[in-house]
Amino acid sequence: MSRYPALFRIPLHALVAIAILAACVALRVADPQPISQLRLSVFDTYLRAAPRAADPSFPVRIIAVDEAALARAGQWPWPRSVLAELTSRLHQAGAKSITFDIVLAEPDRLSPDALLRSLDGQAVSAAIVSEISRLPSNDERFANALASAPVVLGVAGEAQSNRSIAAYRGGISFAGDDPMMFVHAYPGGVENLPILAQAARGVGAVNWVPSEDQIVRRIPLLVAIGGKLYPSQALEALRVGTGQSTIFVKSSGGSGVEAFGSQTGIESVRVGQTILPTTGRGELWLKFSPHDPRRTISASTILDGSFDPEAIKARHIFIGATATGLLDLRATPLASSIPGVEIEAQALEQMLSGEHLIRPAYATGLEIAFIVLFGALVAWMIARSGALIAAIVGGLAIAGIVALSWFAFSRAGLLFDPVYPGLAIAFLYLGTSLTSYVQSEIERAQIRSAFGHYISPSVVSEIARHPDRLKLGGDERDVTLLFADVRGFSKLSEGLQPDELVRFVNRLFTPLADTILSHRGTIDKFMGDAVMAFWNAPLQDEEHARNACRAALAMLDDVARFNAKLSEESALLGETAVPVRLGIGLNTGACVVGNVGSPQRFDYSVLGDAVNVAARFEEATKTFGADIVVGERTAADVPAFAFLGLGTVMPRGKDRPERIFALIGDETFAASSEFSELKAAHMTLLAAPADDGEREAALVKCRKLCPSSIAGYYSRDLSQFVQR
């Protein structure tokens, strides 16, 4: 023991270090969505800082079905006769490959044979029928154009389908494990008409697999549909355009692939001399270049013959929708919205340029090794030399991994995560800098001083008895948030002196605060004439949504009693009281809860997107005329309460609308016949046709049955209610 006196004098540091290191490694191995999303965000930042430079020669061109093309040729998809003309002109101009980003599974409804069927039984002369019957179908015309050109059509895998499709007619060979074990698989799919599929030179899958945040960062080069292997459209365009017959796949167990007996997945895909590095699932990381309008040619110029053939000659061509109304839009790290066909085009550009992004198979192991080695070093430095020297060493280690990660990306296209290892080192430093005794005493003092005025005394006592239930600092959990605001406060405060105004506000908010606390809520802050509160922090509350809803309903009762008292007092003075109205927004979602601020001044608060959405729901009470507006997640968590759907709102900063509901009663009211009648009338009001008399009758009934908390919603004109 004499050789290591310092280490043995502080065993708590070693225990904390081992526990944090084990937790950090276990979390990285599990790789939950927040961790993987953090890593992807770093890679997105790198890509925005150093995107792939667009090739000025643009070896890949997009023939855009844009607004100009739609104006010339009509709605999309176009008749196959138009597609045949488009194909022939591109082929005559010397295109290397022509890829249609569409699946043509149904016969052309504008074909002559379809016209004949529509004339069946009508008074049409035999001569006209005979003349039409001699015309080739549009599908035949398109098939003839396909047969003479290097065309790639699409197939699509479907997760909810068992429809079998024809096998891929090209060649796919592999070395090592069968790629079918690793690729994205679909039980069935949709394919083109046989006459078109047989005429096309190639076929590729149009499926795209975004990350959980719906951003496209990788595309699958191979997918399995109904037990059959297919290349992606971009890969098939490369094969057809370069005149190759076979796609070669190298997987774990293949020659030159070190898997040490484990099935690690696909290593690379080769077409001719082009080798494409992939993830284990056969995906290609995309190194996007910025959108460049010179990459795109309007299909209208091809159809009217005004295009420059030199822009087509010896290039790979993708034909797809870019018009906004066709909704074929995707998000990438560089743009929130680009046409899906451009992703395929950029993927092929990347294949031709050879400028790839690679997440090496050993990257995770290397990052974990960094956490363990430098984490142990920082823990040893704290025990040996103190927190300051350890902070310097840890800071240098974090700076070093960030620099090396950026260098590997910018010089070699290698993707190494600097953020999680850096955070792990920082957490380790913080954890081993504390002692359990000091931490316990500080927590007790902070609990009593910081929470005594914000949460109920019973909760304060419970935390004080069991401080281990409170995790100070940041902690992500589901919470239910409440924003309440006094309507028309400016009018209410007119004529009041400053001291009178303060007394008025305090008198109003005292019962409201008591109601929140009595329902196990935590008051975050008072903001003039508004209050913010949340549930499920600092202590866990399995019924946080239910308690928040009960508190909101009770707050309306508090306001009703306040107004009654105010009316009595005003009557004694011969005055007319202005009633107080309260608008309340409730939302449930994941937030970070903890102490926010500085060592000198901090607040226990919540941070997250759900907070902003709750505030927007409170604002929506003005628009929709309902006193309590609740989000979809909150309503789903307490289905026994009385809710009425109001429609959707688009909160600022969100990319999708949020469904909202009016909360008008608890479980007892929800089970009453009165609510059943109101809900039925409400549904009729929203669902009946606009010119149906039922809607007007339903509106009259709603006005008669509704409580005052939603009366404003039904005070609108009949035309203002959205059809459902």
Side-chain angles (χ1 to χ4, degrees), residues 16 98 117 170 208 246 303 343 351 360 411 433 469 474 520 568 580 590 637 650 682 691 724:
V16 171
I98 304 169
R117 288 192 297 271
W208 59 287
T246 305
L303 294 174
I343 294 177
M351 296 176 191
R411 296 302 178 89
S433 298
R469 297 185 182 179
R520 297 184 64 84
E568 292 176 6
V580 173
D637 285 351
M650 180 68 78
H682 181 85
D691 56 350
R724 291 293 171 212

Side-chain angles (χ1 to χ4, degrees), residues 247-536:
I247 297 170
F248 298 92
V249 183
K250 183 181 287 188
S251 304
S252 51
S255 174
V257 180
E258 296 181 1
F260 303 103
S262 62
Q263 295 175 327
T264 56
I266 298 173
E267 177 79 9
S268 64
V269 174
R270 179 169 65 86
V271 175
Q273 299 303 311
T274 303
I275 299 176
L276 306 174
T278 71
T279 68
R281 303 198 69 180
E283 299 165 318
L284 179 71
W285 280 92
L286 294 176
K287 190 173 185 180
F288 287 99
S289 67
H291 172 75
D292 193 320
R294 295 174 298 174
R295 184 184 282 118
T296 302
I297 301 171
S298 174
S300 64
T301 65
I302 308 297
L303 294 174
D304 65 20
S306 62
F307 71 102
D308 179 8
E310 290 299 317
I312 303 299
K313 185 177 180 181
R315 287 178 168 85
H316 299 271
I317 304 300
F318 281 84
I319 301 171
T322 65
T324 303
L326 298 180
L327 300 178
D328 184 23
L329 301 175
R330 307 287 184 264
T332 73
L334 298 188
S336 60
S337 177
I338 68 170
V341 67
E342 183 171 337
I343 294 177
E344 295 284 357
Q346 289 218 34
L348 182 52
E349 279 185 7
Q350 180 178 321
M351 296 176 191
L352 297 173
S353 71
E355 189 178 349
H356 298 296
L357 295 178
I358 304 171
R359 171 76 172 164
Y362 58 83
T364 299
L366 190 63
E367 292 160 4
I368 291 176
F370 178 91
I371 293 172
V372 174
L373 292 176
F374 281 91
L377 176 62
V378 168
W380 182 76
M381 291 298 297
I382 289 176
R384 175 88 179 194
S385 304
L388 179 59
I389 300 300
I392 295 173
V393 172
L396 290 175
I398 294 172
I401 191 174
V402 171
L404 289 173
S405 173
W406 169 249
F407 182 83
F409 175 88
S410 59
R411 296 302 178 89
L414 298 176
L415 298 172
F416 293 103
D417 177 21
V419 175
Y420 185 75
L423 288 176
I425 299 300
F427 288 145
L428 182 75
Y429 171 81
L430 293 174
T432 53
S433 298
L434 302 175
T435 66
S436 60
Y437 175 78
V438 173
Q439 183 179 10
S440 176
E441 291 303 310
I442 292 176
E443 286 175 350
R444 289 175 186 269
Q446 288 179 334
I447 290 165
R448 290 191 171 92
S449 63
F451 296 137
H453 298 291
Y454 299 94
I455 57 180
S456 63
S458 61
V459 176
V460 175
S461 300
E462 188 175 353
I463 296 173
R465 287 194 303 270
H466 304 285
D468 55 296
R469 297 185 182 179
L470 174 62
K471 181 181 178 182
L472 295 177
D475 183 19
E476 186 178 41
R477 66 175 66 175
D478 282 345
V479 298
T480 298
L481 302 120
L482 178 147
F483 280 79
D485 181 72
V486 178
R487 294 284 171 261
F489 185 75
S490 298
K491 185 176 181 180
L492 289 170
S493 61
E494 288 178 359
L496 295 179
Q497 297 299 318
D499 57 333
E500 294 175 331
L501 181 60
V502 170
R503 285 196 299 272
F504 179 86
V505 171
N506 291 342
R507 183 182 174 189
L508 171 62
F509 277 104
T510 295
L512 298 180
D514 291 341
T515 294
I516 292 172
L517 297 179
S518 66
H519 287 82
R520 297 184 64 84
T522 299
I523 297 175
D524 186 286
K525 61 178 69 72
F526 290 98
M527 303 161 287
D529 60 334
V531 62
M532 172 186 170
F534 53 89
W535 279 257
N536 202 32

